[in-house]
Amino acid sequence: MGMIKRTTGLMGLAVASNPHHTLGALYGKILRVLAKMPEEAVYRKYTETIVRERAAVLQKTKDVNEIEKMVNCGQAEELIIQAENELNLARKMLNWKPWEPLVAKPPKGQWDWPPAKTH
């Protein structure tokens, strides 16, 4: 058995008691929210890909150090925060429905980049 993690070394971020379980539960919730979106929705496609990749890592190992190395996006506790934030955003996106057509035509130049000079 590996060493028990005593600190994350990050101010205000406590060590997660069961990060493998917590991440698995969060990834499952995110995928269930995404499944309610149209399959062609860009947000769903890209988010689903990332979440499925991370969930697959959990299937391969329960070792937190291995999970952190394989995902390569921070400590387990940071991955939990990322997943909580994504779940929150996914629920908002489901409400906002960004895949639906705009209610009104956007103003001319709205989507131009770089923006046109106004001087």
Side-chain angles (χ1 to χ4, degrees):
M1 189 163 134
M3 288 191 40
I4 295 174
K5 187 175 185 178
R6 300 212 182 278
T7 179
T8 61
L10 300 170
M11 179 64 110
L13 187 57
V15 174
S17 59
N18 192 349
H20 186 275
H21 171 77
T22 303
L23 285 169
L26 286 166
Y27 293 154
K29 287 178 183 180
I30 294 167
L31 291 171
R32 284 191 295 280
V33 172
L34 294 173
K36 296 175 183 175
M37 297 177 188
E39 285 185 33
E40 68 278 359
V42 175
Y43 174 78
R44 174 184 173 169
K45 284 197 273 193
Y46 291 108
T47 306
E48 214 166 37
T49 299
I50 292 165
V51 173
R52 286 189 193 286
E53 286 171 0
R54 291 185 180 193
V57 168
L58 298 181
Q59 297 296 315
K60 291 179 187 157
T61 182
K62 288 192 183 301
D63 182 274
V64 176
N65 291 322
E66 277 300 303
I67 292 167
E68 290 173 352
K69 279 183 201 149
M70 293 170 79
V71 173
N72 194 26
C73 282
Q75 296 181 51
E77 292 77 7
E78 292 172 291
L79 297 177
I80 290 168
I81 290 170
Q82 292 166 20
E84 288 169 341
N85 289 340
E86 198 62 58
L87 177 58
N88 191 12
L89 177 60
R91 287 173 173 158
K92 287 179 179 178
M93 293 291 261
L94 191 58
N95 188 40
W96 294 334
K97 298 176 175 42
W99 50 84
E100 290 185 354
L102 294 174
V103 175
K105 262 185 114 56
K108 184 172 173 20
Q110 171 78 39
W111 307 114
D112 296 348
W113 190 259
K117 290 193 174 24
T118 55
H119 302 289

